[in-house]
Amino acid sequence: SSAAISTGPCQLLGFYVNSTSSGTLVIKDGGSSGTALSGTITPAIGWHRFPAQIGTSAYATIGSTLNVTFFFSAAH
């Protein structure tokens, strides 16, 4: 399901897709109605480098079935 990746500013490093069944992903800055940082991604299983500076909060909109883990560094 769609959910927050971080609740504050951070540096997004990338994500790892654990499993998928034609799952899709859109990464946003500023919550569910925030600014899209990506188009609709249909990622394969494995590591995906996605460096992005998140100014407010990171949010993932997920469609279909996608098990994904995000990696980020919190702002100091």
Side-chain angles (χ1 to χ4, degrees):
S1 66
S2 301
I5 298 169
S6 74
T7 57
C10 68
Q11 176 66 45
L12 183 61
L13 305 172
F15 56 93
Y16 188 89
V17 176
N18 302 293
S19 63
T20 183
S21 178
S22 300
T24 61
L25 171 66
V26 176
I27 300 171
K28 298 179 180 178
D29 183 357
S32 62
S33 60
T35 303
L37 300 177
S38 72
T40 301
I41 303 167
T42 306
I45 293 173
W47 171 252
H48 299 268
R49 187 174 180 271
F50 193 94
Q53 184 66 39
I54 307 298
T56 306
S57 62
Y59 189 86
T61 301
I62 297 172
S64 194
T65 303
L66 181 67
N67 181 318
V68 60
T69 303
F70 291 91
F71 295 86
F72 64 91
S73 176
H76 297 288

